[in-house]
Amino acid sequence: MNALTSSADFQLGPNLSGKRIVVAMSGGVDSSVVAALAARSGAETIGVTLQLYDHGSAVKRAGSCCAGQDIRDARAVADRLGIMHYVFDHESRFRDSVIDHFADEYMRGRTPIPCVRCNMGVKFTDLFRLAKELGADCLATGHYVRRIEGGSGPELHRALDPARDQSYFLFATTGEQLDFLRFPLGGMPKTAVREIAQDMGLVVANKPDSQDICFVPEGDYAAVVRKIRPEADSDGPIVDMEGRELGRHKGLIHYTVGQRRGLEIGGLSEPLYVVRLDPQTQAVVVGPKRALAVSAARIVEPNWLSDVQGRQVMAKVRSLAKPVPATMDGEWLRFASDEYGVAPGQAAVLYEGDRVLGGGWIEETAGAEACLV
């Protein structure tokens, strides 16, 4: 073990002998290195893996997590490290709370983020409970985010490596969970993590990173939704902002707000984008790019880690979007300038510098041209 491990801090005091750390092990390189760091710290280390799929599931794919070979990899790493390893079957819970919700959101014409739902429920809530039952002093995960002790308790911060930062997907982490959670990789670049895995001879050292949506084969969302909700392929009209029919589509599940490609409408004087999806009429509403401009978004089911009302913040409304200036006004997040591609079902996460202030789900948006999208 080299000096790279010095940045891994479980924050349990200078002497970890007599402490117990439970590590969430998905079978990937990140969580495996966390288990290795925990085992080398002197604390008693227990690896826990949640089986989220049937081993022969049609939605399982290579490069995902929590099934089949991934579980075998987690067990092999635990054996290499000489730590205990337990597997818990959470397939039905994952299906009900994540996969079915994913399909239902698409059926409602919304754009879901299943990774957040998984973290909110199966991964943090359930693992939190299991770790407590095992008498752990903390639960450690391989997420790239930092837990920093602030003046009023632990705070959630972006990872030092911006290319690996996962804070957007962890906005729903509660204060109680943050007290108990540890993120040893938040201060490391990915290259350092793989170097540690190589140095320790872990079988997963060169394993590809898992995909964002682990249960979607080849990125084909529509195929997964059709499998779960066969009625999802209902066709309908493609209409302009005035309701005039311009064409037909083969199912709302093939479209998201802001999409331009795949509309297959000819004879247009300007490019058109998906502005709204209407599940009541099965209509895809399209318009020019200016129709996508949004001045505010209503936020529901919020999780605030700090007071945000009336405060100037930076808001991230898509996982790959750059944060933009905004202010919280009651339930409404008001943007300092028009924002584009804001879709109901996505999350809005608020930041102050690198600190995560919390976030919530985008329920509806107020268009800059006074049309409610």
Side-chain angles (χ1 to χ4, degrees), residues 197-355:
Q198 290 278 10
D199 288 348
M200 296 201 66
L202 302 183
V203 296
V204 296
N206 296 312
K207 188 173 181 177
D209 291 337
S210 59
Q211 303 298 316
D212 282 348
I213 303 180
C214 56
F215 58 87
V216 180
E218 307 304 325
D220 190 349
Y221 308 136
V224 173
V225 177
R226 280 197 303 269
K227 180 184 172 108
I228 301 167
R229 301 286 183 265
E231 66 274 23
D233 265 338
S234 299
D235 67 354
I238 300 175
V239 302
D240 64 16
M241 303 287 290
E242 286 71 44
R244 293 185 292 262
E245 185 167 329
L246 304 177
R248 303 289 294 180
H249 66 79
K250 296 181 180 179
L252 294 183
I253 58 174
H254 299 284
Y255 302 91
T256 58
V257 171
Q259 180 176 332
R260 177 183 171 186
R261 299 179 65 179
L263 291 174
E264 298 180 356
I265 305 172
L268 301 175
S269 59
E270 63 179 324
L272 295 182
Y273 300 79
V274 176
V275 175
R276 180 171 72 251
L277 300 173
D278 188 343
Q280 298 299 319
T281 62
Q282 287 293 302
V284 173
V285 182
V286 298
K289 186 174 182 179
R290 62 182 177 275
L292 288 171
V294 165
S295 62
R298 187 164 70 88
I299 308 302
V300 299
E301 299 180 63
N303 175 62
W304 301 127
L305 296 171
S306 180
D307 181 24
V308 297
Q309 283 300 318
R311 184 172 175 179
Q312 295 290 324
V313 298
M314 298 298 288
K316 190 178 177 76
V317 294
R318 298 179 305 282
S319 62
L320 298 179
K322 292 182 178 180
V324 296
T327 306
M328 278 303 301
D329 178 13
E331 286 190 329
W332 287 89
L333 177 65
R334 303 196 182 278
F335 303 108
S337 58
D338 295 344
E339 183 67 5
Y340 291 80
V342 185
Q346 292 278 292
V349 182
L350 309 189
Y351 296 84
E352 182 179 61
D354 282 340
R355 184 184 177 188

Side-chain angles (χ1 to χ4, degrees), residues 96-124:
D96 294 343
S97 64
V98 178
I99 298 180
D100 285 352
H101 181 271
F102 173 84
D104 290 341
E105 284 286 270
Y106 265 106
M107 293 290 289
R108 294 176 61 199
R110 298 162 66 88
T111 307
I113 315 177
C115 301
V116 176
R117 292 289 177 184
C118 184
N119 288 330
M120 288 173 63
V122 176
K123 285 191 175 172
F124 278 2

Side-chain angles (χ1 to χ4, degrees), residues 20-21 30 57 79 100 109 134 161 188 193 209 230 240 290-291 298 325 346 367-368:
R20 178 176 292 172
I21 299 173
D30 296 325
S57 171
D79 288 345
D100 285 352
L134 289 169
D161 183 351
M188 297 185 190
V193 172
D209 291 337
D240 64 16
R290 62 182 177 275
R298 187 164 70 88
Q346 292 278 292

Side-chain angles (χ1 to χ4, degrees), residues 2-299:
N2 57 39
L4 291 169
T5 64
S6 63
S7 60
D9 181 8
F10 291 95
Q11 300 171 310
L12 294 176
N15 183 6
L16 272 66
S17 177
K19 302 291 187 179
R20 178 176 292 172
I21 299 173
V22 166
V23 178
M25 298 183 68
S26 67
V29 63
D30 296 325
S31 61
S32 296
V33 166
V34 170
L37 296 174
R40 284 297 182 95
S41 73
E44 179 187 2
T45 302
I46 301 173
V48 171
T49 300
L50 300 181
Q51 179 185 318
L52 303 182
Y53 308 91
D54 180 275
H55 287 200
S57 171
V59 299
K60 174 69 179 71
R61 63 168 167 164
S64 63
C65 65
C66 309
Q69 184 59 47
D70 308 299
I71 294 175
R72 290 190 286 275
D73 287 343
R75 181 170 290 122
V77 169
D79 288 345
R80 169 79 176 176
L81 299 174
I83 65 173
M84 291 185 289
H85 177 246
Y86 299 106
V87 178
F88 294 91
D89 183 355
H90 274 53
E91 182 186 351
S92 61
R93 172 120 161 85
F94 182 74
R95 183 177 60 247
D96 294 343
S97 64
V98 178
I99 298 180
D100 285 352
H101 181 271
F102 173 84
D104 290 341
E105 284 286 270
Y106 265 106
M107 293 290 289
R108 294 176 61 199
R110 298 162 66 88
T111 307
I113 315 177
C115 301
V116 176
R117 292 289 177 184
C118 184
N119 288 330
M120 288 173 63
V122 176
K123 285 191 175 172
F124 278 2
T125 303
D126 294 359
L127 279 172
F128 187 93
R129 176 179 52 79
L130 288 169
K132 289 282 191 179
E133 290 175 355
L134 289 169
D137 292 285
C138 72
L139 169 64
T141 80
H143 290 100
Y144 285 84
V145 69
R146 290 178 295 155
R147 176 189 183 276
I148 294 177
E149 287 293 340
S152 301
E155 300 171 352
L156 191 63
H157 286 244
R158 300 177 196 268
L160 285 184
D161 183 351
R164 304 300 305 178
D165 176 57
Q166 294 174 298
S167 60
Y168 178 83
F169 300 100
L170 298 178
F171 80 85
T173 305
T174 66
E176 179 188 9
Q177 291 170 341
L178 198 55
D179 279 336
F180 193 59
L181 285 162
R182 300 294 185 273
F183 307 106
L185 305 188
M188 297 185 190
K190 183 73 175 200
T191 52
V193 172
R194 288 203 181 274
E195 184 177 333
I196 294 169
Q198 290 278 10
D199 288 348
M200 296 201 66
L202 302 183
V203 296
V204 296
N206 296 312
K207 188 173 181 177
D209 291 337
S210 59
Q211 303 298 316
D212 282 348
I213 303 180
C214 56
F215 58 87
V216 180
E218 307 304 325
D220 190 349
Y221 308 136
V224 173
V225 177
R226 280 197 303 269
K227 180 184 172 108
I228 301 167
R229 301 286 183 265
E231 66 274 23
D233 265 338
S234 299
D235 67 354
I238 300 175
V239 302
D240 64 16
M241 303 287 290
E242 286 71 44
R244 293 185 292 262
E245 185 167 329
L246 304 177
R248 303 289 294 180
H249 66 79
K250 296 181 180 179
L252 294 183
I253 58 174
H254 299 284
Y255 302 91
T256 58
V257 171
Q259 180 176 332
R260 177 183 171 186
R261 299 179 65 179
L263 291 174
E264 298 180 356
I265 305 172
L268 301 175
S269 59
E270 63 179 324
L272 295 182
Y273 300 79
V274 176
V275 175
R276 180 171 72 251
L277 300 173
D278 188 343
Q280 298 299 319
T281 62
Q282 287 293 302
V284 173
V285 182
V286 298
K289 186 174 182 179
R290 62 182 177 275
L292 288 171
V294 165
S295 62
R298 187 164 70 88
I299 308 302

